[in-house]
Amino acid sequence: MAVEPLSQKDVEERLQELPGWTTDGVRISRTYHFDGHFQAAAMVVHIAQIQEELGHHAETTLGYNTVALSVNTHSVGGKVTGLDVELARRVEAVAAGHGAR
C-alpha cells in the first residue's frame, strides 16, 4: 500500500481528534509532561515499541520530565501522511497510562 501525503486541511482535521498535537505544515508534533523522569523514560520505551510495530519512527526527545515527538514521512519528501497520524494516535492511546499530560 502506497503512502500518500495529506493535504494541510486533512492534517488539521485529523489533529482535531488528537489534543495537544500540532503541525507546522511539514510535520506533526507533541510534547508530553510527566511528574518525573522515570515515567518519561518508560513512555519512550513504549513509543519505541509502537514505532517498531508500525515500521515508522518519530524524532523523540527525552527530557527530565518531558517527551517530545515530531514526525513526518521521509519517503514522500518529508510530508505528513496517514502513517504519521496513526503513530500519533497509538502514542496518545498509551500516554495516559504513563501519567502523561
Side-chain angles (χ1 to χ4, degrees):
M1 179 172 140
V3 177
E4 298 291 329
L6 298 173
S7 70
Q8 187 63 27
K9 180 181 177 193
D10 285 340
V11 172
E12 291 170 3
E13 286 176 358
R14 291 178 188 208
L15 290 185
Q16 289 177 3
E17 299 172 8
L18 296 167
W21 284 85
T22 61
T23 183
D24 62 4
V26 178
R27 63 187 47 86
I28 59 174
S29 304
R30 167 127 197 224
T31 299
Y32 293 94
H33 299 273
F34 302 84
D35 288 335
H37 185 68
F38 186 79
Q39 291 125 321
M43 174 83 166
V44 168
V45 172
H46 207 155
I47 291 168
Q49 178 185 4
I50 291 166
Q51 293 176 138
E52 285 298 305
E53 289 169 4
L54 290 174
H56 190 60
H57 300 80
E59 295 293 324
T60 307
T61 304
L62 172 63
Y64 166 70
N65 62 349
T66 61
V67 173
L69 289 122
S70 179
V71 64
N72 62 16
T73 303
H74 300 288
S75 64
V76 296
K79 308 252 191 231
V80 177
T81 68
L83 193 53
D84 303 308
V85 176
E86 180 60 20
L87 176 62
R89 280 190 186 124
R90 299 225 11 222
V91 170
E92 276 299 304
V94 302
H98 290 282
R101 53 186 193 280

